[in-house]
Amino acid sequence: MIWLGITIILTIVDAFGVSTTFGFALGLAFWGALVGVNMLGWSAWRRSLPGTRDHAGRTALSALVLNSLLAIEVPLLYRLMGRGDASVDWKPFAYGLLVTGFVMVLLRATRARHTLARQDSDVEDTACSPATPTTSFGILARAGIDPADLLSVRAEDHYCRLSVRGGGTLLVHYRFRDAVGDLADVQGAQVHRGAWVADCAITGSERTGRRWSLHLADGSRVPVSETRIALCRARGWLERG
């Protein structure tokens, strides 16, 4: 929807005179191709960088690098469509930054509403069986659950989703790295950059090629990163089930 919306808007406002030069239909194709390629490039670039995807510095770096390519991509498309007099222009870079900023604000607003809706749903699901915390600090205390009931912790943007016995989940605004530190005394381990599992939660394992995944008591599966396979094997998790 975002790709289609941006493509139609850029075509209608005749950005950089594309629609005037090539006509509405070809202008639509021009912006559809350019926006689509850059959205794919944005996703691949951000996933290739280390660290958290939503880190402000990472987002700013991605915006600068990818939008700077527009200064070359726009005249290149002009030439491919028969306009040999097109030259490098930095206006697309400036406009690209504006569009990127708008899209990021829109995505964050949508994500925030979706997260709040899920959090409200989770509160309703667990309201009938509240747990009593046995720790006085950390994510377990904030979630109000007993360590013995914890099955897994998974990162979701700036939140952590805690799965507990009985199939319930809790969404807590908490940094995953801090949550893993809080669970140092709980029998379990981090098996992925965004997943921690309790020893008692694991019912089996599965291997597909070189990739491993763990089966948990709540019916879910958690992938195991290559760097954590040795740890899981040492704990005997890959031999269960």
Side-chain angles (χ1 to χ4, degrees):
M1 292 299 294
I2 293 176
W3 165 79
L4 182 61
I6 295 176
T7 298
I8 293 176
I9 291 173
L10 290 174
T11 304
I12 292 176
V13 301
D14 194 17
F16 311 125
V18 173
S19 297
T20 300
T21 303
F22 301 108
F24 186 84
L26 287 179
L28 199 63
F30 179 101
W31 287 116
L34 188 62
V35 173
V37 168
N38 278 274
M39 289 184 72
L40 291 175
W42 174 272
S43 177
W45 168 268
R46 296 185 70 210
R47 289 179 182 276
S48 68
L49 293 178
T52 306
R53 276 194 295 169
D54 288 326
H55 190 276
R58 180 176 184 168
T59 300
L61 175 62
S62 301
L64 289 173
V65 172
L66 294 176
N67 284 305
S68 64
L69 297 177
L70 289 174
I72 302 174
E73 293 172 349
V74 171
L76 178 61
L77 269 178
Y78 261 87
R79 290 176 179 271
L80 290 175
M81 296 177 71
R83 285 293 301 272
D85 58 339
S87 59
V88 174
D89 189 354
W90 289 101
K91 289 182 180 179
F93 170 67
Y95 283 103
L97 286 179
L98 292 176
V99 173
T100 299
F102 170 76
V103 172
M104 293 307 298
V105 170
L106 180 62
L107 286 176
R108 286 183 180 275
T110 302
R111 184 180 299 164
R113 292 181 60 185
H114 182 59
T115 299
L116 288 174
R118 287 189 302 178
Q119 188 172 15
D120 291 341
S121 177
D122 291 334
V123 170
E124 292 178 0
D125 291 341
T126 57
C128 296
S129 56
T132 302
T134 59
T135 56
S136 58
F137 65 92
I139 190 170
L140 295 180
R142 179 174 296 187
I145 66 174
D146 191 301
D149 292 330
L150 181 64
L151 298 181
S152 67
V153 180
R154 308 189 198 193
E156 292 190 11
D157 298 327
H158 300 294
Y159 291 79
C160 288
R161 182 173 293 279
L162 286 71
S163 298
V164 297
R165 293 182 187 277
T169 65
L170 289 167
L171 195 63
V172 181
H173 187 265
Y174 213 81
R175 290 200 305 179
F176 178 74
R177 181 176 59 184
D178 294 339
V180 172
D182 294 342
L183 299 173
D185 295 331
V186 180
Q187 292 298 317
Q190 181 179 354
V191 298
H192 195 269
R193 65 179 180 179
W196 180 98
V197 296
D199 182 84
C200 63
I202 300 170
T203 59
S205 61
E206 181 179 346
R207 182 176 181 178
T208 304
R210 297 179 57 185
R211 298 182 180 276
W212 283 89
S213 60
L214 299 174
H215 297 194
L216 304 189
D218 60 357
S220 64
R221 297 184 181 184
V222 177
V224 178
S225 65
E226 292 187 8
T227 58
R228 302 281 177 169
I229 292 177
L231 180 147
C232 292
R233 181 172 286 112
R235 300 179 75 99
W237 292 351
L238 302 186
E239 285 73 39
R240 293 191 182 181

